[in-house]
Amino acid sequence: MTEPVLALEGLTVRFGSRRVVEDLTLRIGPGEVLGLAGESGSGKSTAALAILGDLGPGGRIEAGSLRFEGRELRGLAEREWRALRGAGIALVGQEPMAALNPSMRVGAQLAEVPRLHGRASRAEARAAARRALEELRLPDPDRMLAAYPHQLSGGQLQRIVLAMALMAEPRLLILDEPTTALDVTVEAEIMALLRGIRRTRGTAMLFIGHDLALMAGICDRLAVLYAGRLAEAGPVAQIFERARHPYTQALLAALPRIYAARRPPAPLPGSQPLPQDRPPGCAFAPRCTHARRGLCDRDPVPLETVALDAVVRCLRWREIDGAPEAAPALPGPDIGGPILEVEGLTRRFGSGRGTVHALQEASFTAFEGETLAIVGESGCGKSTLARLLMGLERADAGTIRLRGVEVQDRLAGRRPRDLTAAMQMVFQNPSDTLNPAIPAGRQVMRALELFQGGLPARTLREGLADLLGLVRLSPALAQRMPRALSGGQRQRVGIARALAGDPAVLVADEPVSALDASVQAAVIGTLLELQRTRRATLLFISHDLALVRQIADRVMVLYLGRIMEIGPAHRIFGALCHPYTRALLDAAPRPDPGAPPPSPLSGERPSALTPPSGCPFHGRCPRRAELPETLCEDRLPPLAEVAPGHRIRCHLPPERLRF
Amino acid sequence: MRVAAILLRRLGALLATALCLSLLVFWLTHLPPNLEKLAKSQGSARMSDAEVASWLERSGFDRPVPVLYGEWLGLLPKAGCGRCGVVQGDWGQSTVFRQPVAEVLGRSLAATGWLMLWVMVVMVPTALALGVLAGMREGSRTDRAISVATILTAATPEYVSGVVLVALFASATAGLSPLLHETGWIEGRTLFQGTASGAMNGITFWNFALPVVTVALYGTGYVARITRAAMADAMTQPYVRTARLKGASQSRIVLVHALRNALVAPVTVILLQLPWLLNGVVIVETLFAYKGFGWTLVQAAGNNDIELLLGCATVAVTLVLATQGLSDLAYRALNPRLRAR
Amino acid sequence: MEELGWLGILGRMALRFVPVWAGLALILGLGWRARARLGPAGRLFGSWAGLSGLTLVLFWVLTALFADLIATHDPLAQLSGLKNAVPGSPAPGSSYPVYLLGGDSLARDCFSRMVVGARRVLAIAPAATLCALAVGMLLGLPAGFVGGRLDAALSFLANLVLAFPVILLFYLLVTPEIRQTALPRTVAAVLFLMPLLFLVLLWHSRFRTRAGPWALGLAAILGPGLWIWAGLALDADPSGLWRLEPGLLTVFVAVVFVNAPTAFRIVRGLALDLRHRDYVAAARTRGEGPWFIMLWEILPNARGPLIVDACLRVGYTTILLGTLGFFGLGVSPESPDWGSTINDGRRFLAIYPHAAVVPALALLSLVLGLNLLADALRTEARHD
C-alpha cells in the first residue's frame, strides 16, 4: 500500500472549553480527491486549519496525529511549518476578494510564492507568475498581473488564488468551499479547471463543502462531518447509491434534483447543535427518526468499518433502510386571476462612471395562488425588481398594479395600509432579517399592531401565538433575542412577520440560500404550505435552478436586467428554453457521481455599466454561430410568445430551441 | 480629468468654509460689547456711553458688519487706502504689539513651526512603532503593556502633563532635580528648564525637550491607539492568512502585507491631529512662556486685539482646512480602490 | 502639632475617604454578584482594564457625591500663614488640624479644593455629553438615513464647527462680553430643546397608532421637560428650582457646541452603515415612518459604539473644562474647579509644585478611568 499524502488519526481540536472537531480520522492517497462535507459549524474548516497549523489564538490540537507524507505535523516548529505551507500544502478559500491583499498588485502577490520557496530571482518569479496565469486560461495575463484585486471579477480572482496556490507545486491542495461565493456558471468553470488540474498534475485534494451535488462531480471519496464528528465516509459512488448514516440519507433526500419530479425537498427537523450543546451519545439522535431512547442518547458512538474503505458512526445502520421517505408531491396550484401586473418597469442607477441599467422594461403578470420563480445570476436585476415592487426604490419608468391599483409612484410608507399589508417580503440574510436589538416576538407583534391596528392587546397576543404556530415555532421563542435563535428559526420569524397582514403577494428574495442544506428544505416546506393554504402568490427569487424546478409553477429568467424568458416550469424544464436558460441548467451540478460534468459557459459576464448592444447574451451564447452575421449584435430580439404563456427573447425560431 | 474635477470641488468647499468661518469670527469679534471694550481700551476706561458711541463712529465701527468685513477682506474700498485687506496682504495693525499683524504672525508662526517640527519628529515614529508592536499580536503581554501606557498618555491633556513634567524634571524643590543637584550630577538647580523663553534665541535640548514632549505625549498615545486598532484589524484579515499559508515569515507578514493596509487610518489621523496639536501648542506655549503662535493668540484674545485675533483665526482655520484636504488626498493615495476612480 | 510625613498624610486621606470606600465596596460587590445577569456590563468585571476603569470612575463619582463629608476645610477659606504650605502642614484653629495636601498661593486647602472641584466636573461633563449626543442623534440619524442634500448640508455645518480650533472658539464664545449679548441664551435655548425633542419623537413614533398611551406619554414628557428647559435655558422658571448661573451657562453651551459635531459624525456614520440592513427594509415595507426606523430600528443597534463614545466624550469634556479653567475662561477666580486650580498653581510651579500637581493628577485619574472603561467596553463588544 502506498504512503497516503495525508493521514489524520483521531484528531481532536479545542477552542477554549469547546471541542470543535472530535476524533477525526481521514486519509488521502496520492492523486486522490477527498470530499469533506458538512454544514456550517460542523468543524470542517477548523479541520483544514489544523492541517495547515494555523488554528490561531485559542485553538489547539488536543489529541490525535496528523501525518503529511508520513511525517508527523503535531509539534512542528514555526520555521518547519513555513517551509511546508504553500510548498507542501496549499489552501484556496471561500472569498477570493478577501484572500488577496487589496493594496498589492496581483503580480507581486503571485511572485511572492516562488520567491519564498524556490529562492527564485525577481525576474524568474515574475515569469513564473505569468505562466501560472496562462495555465489557468486567464485572458490577458499581463493586464492581470498589473491589476489590483478590486479591478477584477470574482471568477478571475478565484482563478488567481488557485494559480497562487499551485505555483509552488504543492502535494496537497485544500479547497475550502472554493465556489460558494460565485455564480453557477462561474462555479462550473472553476470546477472544470479543478478537474483539469487533477488530471494533468495528479495533485491530491481535500475538497471541503456543503453542496453534495457539487462534490459528487469531483470527489473520489466522501467524508460527512456532523457536529464535529465523522458521521460516515466511503467511496463517493457508494455513498450516493446507498448512504448508511441517517444524516447522510437526509442530506441526500434534501438535495433538490433538477431533473426529478416536481416535489419539494424532504425536510429534516431541527438544526445542528452548537459545539457547547452537543448531546451525549449520537449528536444526530435528537433529529433522527430512527433514534432509540436509551440506546442512541447514552454513550459516544464509535466509528465502525462497514465495508472496504467505508466507515459509519451509527449504532443502528444495519436496521435502517436506505432512503428516507420523500416529501409528498405538491398538489396542483389553484390559480386565480391576475393580482400583480408589471408593465415596462425600468430602473437605472447613475454612478460616477456611467449608468447601470439594473432593470429594463420588465413586463409580467403574477396570478393569484401561483409560485412564480425569478431566476438569474448575481447582478441580473432580480433583487432590484423585488425592491421596486416593495417600494423600497422608485422606478424610472413603468407601472406596477397591485390588485388593480397603481403603486409604482408610492414608496413604502406612502402606500395605503391595505396595499402595504397585501404585499410583503421575506429577506435573504437570516442574520440581518430580524433586528438584533429587539426580541423576536416583538418584531412580529409590531407588524400585527400596524396591520391590524386598533385591536385590543389580548387579540394581538393571540394573533402572535397563531402566527408562530403557523411557521412551526414554539411560542416560547417569542421572548428570545434574535441571536439566541438559529438561522432557520430566524427565517421562520421573518416569514411570520410578513404574514401578519395576511398578504396576497409574498416576495421571497433568496429566502433559504444562506441556510444549511438540512434546514433549507424545512423552511421551503413551510413557505409552500402557507402559500397553498392561504392562496397567496409567491414570487420566489433564486439563483438555484434545481430548487426552482421543484417548487415553481412558472419561471422567469433575467439576464443583465432583461427578462430573457418567462413561462410554465414544466415547459422550460422539459420542452424548450432560451439558450441562456439552457446554459444555466447545464452548469448546475448534478447529485450523481456518474453524470457527465457540467459544461461551463465561455466568456466573462459583461458589466451592467456597458451592456452589449442587441441581445444582451450574444457575447456568451453558444448558439450565436447559427444566426447570420450581425443580427444578434444589432437587434434586441423581442420577448416572443412560443406557446401559450411561454415567451422567449431569442432570434432563433422556437423549434430550434427544443431539447 | 476626473481628479482635477474632484480637486476643484474640494477647493471650492474649502474656500466656502474659510469664508463662512472668517465671517463668523469677524461677527463675533465685532459684537457691540467687544467694540465697547475696544473703545474703552483705546480711549479711556471711564468713557460714558455717548463717548463710546462717538468714538466708534469716528473709527468707522458703527457701520454694518458685512461692510466692515468686506473692507477687512479687501473686497470693499477702505477709507484712506483704496482696497487694502487680507486679500491684498494687509492684515491690519496689532494694538498690543504696536506692529503690523503680518509681522507679528510671521514671527510667531516661525517659532511655532520649530515646535511643531520637533513634536512631529518625536511623535510620529514613536506612535507608529508602538501601535504596530501592540497590534501585531493582539492580547499579548507587549500589547497590554503598550495599551496601558498609550491609554494613560491619551488621557493626559497638555496642561496636566506639562505640570507633572515640570514638577518632576524642572522644579528646584521636587522631583529629580534636587537629588541630581545634591549628588553633583547637574550643575544648575534644575535638570531641564521650566520655561522655553530662552528657546526663542536658540533651541537647546534643555530648554526645548519639555515643551516638545508635553505636546507630543497626548498625540502619541492617540495615534498609537489608532495604529494598534488598524494593525490588529489587518492581522485578522483573510489576506494575512493567505500570506501566512504561502509560507511567509511573521516579519514579512507584518511589514509587507499588514502594515501597508493598516497605515491608512493612522496617516489620515496624524494629519487630522495637526489642528489638535494647535490646541496643545497654545497650552504649552502659555505654560512655558514660548512666544509662538499660540502665545500670540492668547495675548490677542486676552487683550481684545481684534485685528491680530482675526489674523490668528484666519491662519488657524486655513491650517485646519489645509490638513483636512491633505488627509483626504493621503487617504486616496494610500487606497488603491479609491485611486482607480 | 508636627508636620505630617507622607505615611501620615496618606493614612489620614484614606480615613477621609471612608464614605467613598463604603460606596465602592457596596456597588462593586453587588455588581460582582450580579455580573452574570448584567450582559456586556457584567463582563467588565472579568477584565483588568474594565475593573480598574470602573473603580476610578466610581471613586470620583462618589467623591463628588460625598464632597461635603470628605472635604476638611471650606475650599474658599484662607488661613493665615499657610500660603504655599507644603503637604501635611498643621492648620491650627481650623475645622481640621492639617492641610493634608498643603495650601495654595492664597493659603487655601488643596485637598478640599480637589474634592469639591470633582463635584463641578462631574455635574457638567456628563450632562454636556448627553446634550451633545442628543444633538448628534437628532441631526446625525436623518443625515445618515436620508442622505442626499440633507446630509450634505448638515455635514458642511458640522465640518464648519470642526474646522474651528477649540481654543479660539472658547476665546470667542466664553468671554464676559459675549455674556452680555443674547447669543449664549439663544444657542442654549436651541441646544437644550434637543433632548426634549428627542424624547418627544421617540414616544410619538412608537405610539402614534395608539391614542391613549400617546397622549399620556407626551404630556408626561412635555410638562416637566418644558419647565426644566425654560428654567435652564431662558432663566424663566418662576419657582427658581431650575436655573444656571450665566457663567456656567456659557461654559456649558461652549462645551456642547464643541462636542456636537463629532457626536453628529459618529451617529451619522453608524446610521449610514445600518440603513441598508434587511430589518430596516422590512420596517419600511410594513409602512413605518422614518423616525420610527431611525429611533427604534437603527438606534438600538448603534448603542454599543455610542456608549463607548459617551465614556470617551465625558473624559474629553473633562479635559475641555480643564482647558477653560486653565485659561481662566468662564469661571469665577476663586472657583475650585481643577483647571483653574492648575492655572493658579502653575505660577509657583518650580518652587511649590503641589498646588498644581494635585488637581492635575485628579483630572488625569478621572479621564484615565473613563478611557479604560471605554476601551474595555469596546473590547467586550468586539468579542461578542
Side-chain angles (χ1 to χ4, degrees), chain C residues 14 31 38-40 65 73 97 103 111 122 159 181 208 230 276 285 346 350 361 364:
Chain C
L38 287 175
L65 221 65
H73 295 84
F111 175 74
L122 283 163
N159 286 335
T181 67
R208 72 193 158 93
H276 290 302
T285 56
R346 73 185 168 90
L361 291 182
L364 172 60

Side-chain angles (χ1 to χ4, degrees), chain A residues 572-619:
Chain A
I572 289 182
F573 291 104
L576 80 168
C577 66
H578 192 279
Y580 174 61
T581 316
R582 190 67 214 252
L584 284 181
L585 284 168
D586 285 345
R590 252 147 275 180
D592 176 8
S599 49
L601 202 54
S602 63
E604 276 286 311
R605 184 156 47 89
S607 151
L609 261 175
T610 48
S613 61
C615 173
F617 189 55
H618 73 76

Side-chain angles (χ1 to χ4, degrees), chain C residues 328-352:
Chain C
L329 294 170
V331 286
S332 51
E334 69 271 17
S335 158
D337 76 286
W338 294 338
S340 28
T341 317
I342 295 172
N343 186 32
D344 292 339
R346 73 185 168 90
R347 264 169 288 161
F348 302 96
L349 194 56
I351 312 151
Y352 306 111

Side-chain angles (χ1 to χ4, degrees), chain A residues 339-363:
Chain A
I339 182 130
L340 179 73
E341 293 150 280
V342 173
E343 225 11 90
L345 203 61
T346 298
R347 174 74 174 132
R348 292 179 288 264
F349 297 102
S351 92
R353 287 173 294 178
T355 310
V356 177
H357 296 269
L359 194 66
Q360 294 191 69
E361 293 164 41
S363 305

Side-chain angles (χ1 to χ4, degrees), chain B residues 37 138 159 171 173 225 279, chain C residues 167 177 319 350-351 375 382:
Chain B
K37 194 173 163 197
E138 206 187 352
Y159 51 86
S171 162
T173 59
R225 296 296 296 155
N279 272 332
Chain C
I167 292 201
E177 286 75 38
I319 292 180
I351 312 151
D375 194 66
R382 228 152 43 96

Side-chain angles (χ1 to χ4, degrees), chain A residues 25-38:
Chain A
T25 301
L26 292 175
R27 49 180 295 280
I28 305 176
E32 188 178 44
V33 179
L34 173 70
L36 186 58

